[in-house]
């Protein structure tokens, strides 16, 4: 998993007609927003997201996840979001599986790195 503050992957996937766009919507009433892209290529999954939101409270961080809901909820962690300017965050991830049924992305506010999502902040599904 590669998370950094470079938007090269974001720009590449935004321009790729095979990438699926996800509009991230605020789910906690805090005026957050974001855009993500998923690209399945050569049995891999490339995921990038940019989010507009306030900084996480002290002792917390933002985490991105892929989610599928049937037959029950499953989550794939995509890594912590990195600062990308004031009120902006980014994550870039390449996974060695294409996770074909995972088309929903969530961003959560986390206090512990326990591989389980804590507080949902944003959510969106691929078009």
């Amino acid at each position: 998993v590669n998370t950094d503050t470079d938007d090269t992957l974001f720009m590449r996937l935004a321009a790729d007609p095979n990438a699926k766009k996800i509009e991230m919507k605020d789910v906690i009433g805090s005026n957050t927003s974001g855009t993500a892209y998923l690209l399945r290529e050569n049995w891999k999954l490339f995921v990038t997201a940019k989010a507009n939101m306030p900084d996480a409270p002290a002792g917390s961080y933002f985490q991105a996840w892929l989610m599928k809901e049937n037959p029950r909820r499953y989550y794939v962690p995509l890594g912590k979001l990195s600062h990308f300017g004031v009120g902006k965050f980014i994550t870039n991830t390449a996974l060695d599986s294409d996770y074909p049924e995972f088309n929903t992305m969530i961003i959560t506010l986390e206090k512990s790195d326990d591989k389980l999502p804590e507080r949902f902040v944003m959510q969106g599904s691929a078009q």
Side-chain angles (χ1 to χ4, degrees):
V1 174
N2 173 30
T3 301
D4 56 38
T5 55
D6 184 327
D7 70 352
T8 304
L9 181 63
F10 187 91
M11 297 311 235
R12 184 172 83 80
L13 295 191
D16 190 323
N18 294 317
K20 292 183 177 181
K21 184 177 185 179
I22 298 175
E23 289 295 339
M24 304 292 291
K25 303 281 192 247
D26 179 3
V27 296
I28 59 169
S30 64
N31 201 29
T32 61
S33 64
T35 303
Y37 292 94
L38 304 177
L39 177 64
R40 291 177 171 93
E41 189 174 76
N42 300 324
W43 298 279
K44 290 183 184 279
L45 178 62
F46 298 91
V47 184
T48 182
K50 280 186 184 178
N52 303 306
M53 54 194 172
D55 286 353
S60 302
Y61 60 92
F62 294 111
Q63 167 91 31
W65 309 78
L66 279 180
M67 178 178 80
K68 77 169 189 170
E69 300 201 56
N70 293 316
R72 65 182 189 85
R73 283 191 171 175
Y74 290 95
Y75 302 95
V76 176
L78 300 174
K80 295 178 183 178
L81 277 74
S82 302
H83 268 101
F84 192 69
V86 177
K88 296 185 183 303
F89 293 82
I90 192 167
T91 186
N92 298 306
T93 308
L95 301 171
D96 288 329
S97 170
D98 63 1
Y99 294 96
E101 297 174 14
F102 288 76
N103 289 305
T104 298
M105 176 180 262
I106 59 172
I107 294 176
T108 58
L109 182 63
E110 301 288 319
K111 286 188 186 256
S112 61
D113 191 6
D114 58 7
K115 305 296 181 221
L116 293 170
E118 292 175 30
R119 184 167 181 222
F120 283 41
V121 175
M122 272 188 267
Q123 181 172 330
S125 294
Q127 304 305 315

